[in-house]
Amino acid sequence: MDEWIVESKMVSGSVTLVDLNSYNSANFDYMIKSGTNMRAGNIASVWNGSISSHNEINTTDLGDTNDLNFDVSSDGKLNAIVSSGTWTVQINYKALGKIS
């Protein structure tokens, strides 16, 4: 993938935001917002079909954003887990390591 891709969604509950199972890694820049509560940050992630690892870095919060968390699955899915409310999620991402 040679360019950054932008996704924007309204989410509640648990939902897959991006499915990149034909790649091995991705960087996700994101912004979430619900009312006056918002957070911006970056998620660095890797996966191999069996295990995954991700780290949410460089976050900045306004208000209470504890109701939305992210997870990256072993098959390259970025998931949002919302415990309360509805959130707008915007994600800019670049996937790396295309699997042949």
Side-chain angles (χ1 to χ4, degrees), residues 9-17 32-34 39 64-71 79-89:
K9 299 181 181 182
M10 295 286 290
V11 298
S12 59
S14 296
V15 63
T16 297
L17 299 169
I32 62 171
K33 183 177 181 188
S34 180
R39 179 171 75 227
D64 182 3
T65 62
N66 292 326
D67 290 334
L68 191 149
N69 291 293
F70 294 103
D71 175 69
N79 303 302
I81 300 97
V82 178
S83 59
S84 179
T86 300
W87 291 78
T88 300
V89 179

Side-chain angles (χ1 to χ4, degrees), residues 4 6-7 12 19 26 31 42 44-46 49 59 67 74-75 78 83-84 86 91 100:
W4 286 86
V6 178
E7 299 278 340
S12 59
D19 184 348
M31 196 285 298
N42 177 270
S45 58
V46 293
T59 61
D67 290 334
S74 63
D75 59 350
L78 174 65
S83 59
S84 179
T86 300
I91 301 170
S100 309

